[in-house]
């Protein structure tokens, strides 16, 4: 069963010297990310969805080397 983990990254151009966007915060919901922008960033800032889906399948884990037969 896949498990979705939300991760939103706040990108802000005013945080860098050369004007390129830099990651300034990571939030677990889009609402928190927009709230961060409202308080700390300028109007050119944006958020990026870095959410991922992980499989809860235990077959993706290998046993330690000493436990193999």
């Amino acid at each position: 069963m896949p498990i979705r983990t939300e991760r939103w990254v706040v990108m802000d151009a005013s945080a860098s010297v050369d004007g390129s966007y830099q990651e300034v915060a990571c939030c677990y919901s889009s609402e928190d990310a927009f709230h961060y922008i409202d308080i700390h960033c300028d109007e050119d800032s944006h958020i990026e969805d870095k959410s991922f889906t992980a499989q809860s399948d235990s077959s993706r884990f290998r046993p330690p080397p000493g436990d193999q037969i």
Side-chain angles (χ1 to χ4, degrees):
M1 174 181 200
I3 299 171
R4 180 157 172 83
T5 302
E6 283 194 58
R7 181 172 181 262
W8 297 88
V9 176
V10 177
M11 304 297 287
D12 185 12
S14 65
S16 71
V17 176
D18 63 356
S20 63
Y21 284 94
Q22 287 187 311
E23 180 179 330
V24 293
C26 180
C27 303
Y28 292 107
S29 72
S30 59
E31 292 85 16
D32 289 343
F34 283 119
H35 182 70
Y36 184 92
I37 286 176
D38 288 342
I39 294 172
H40 301 286
C41 302
D42 65 10
E43 65 276 355
D44 292 330
S45 301
H46 65 275
I47 65 172
E48 294 181 6
D49 184 1
K50 300 289 184 171
S51 302
F52 61 92
T53 302
Q55 296 289 338
S56 63
D57 180 31
S58 62
S59 66
R60 64 187 172 116
F61 298 105
R62 291 181 285 158
D67 291 347
Q68 295 177 355
I69 298 176

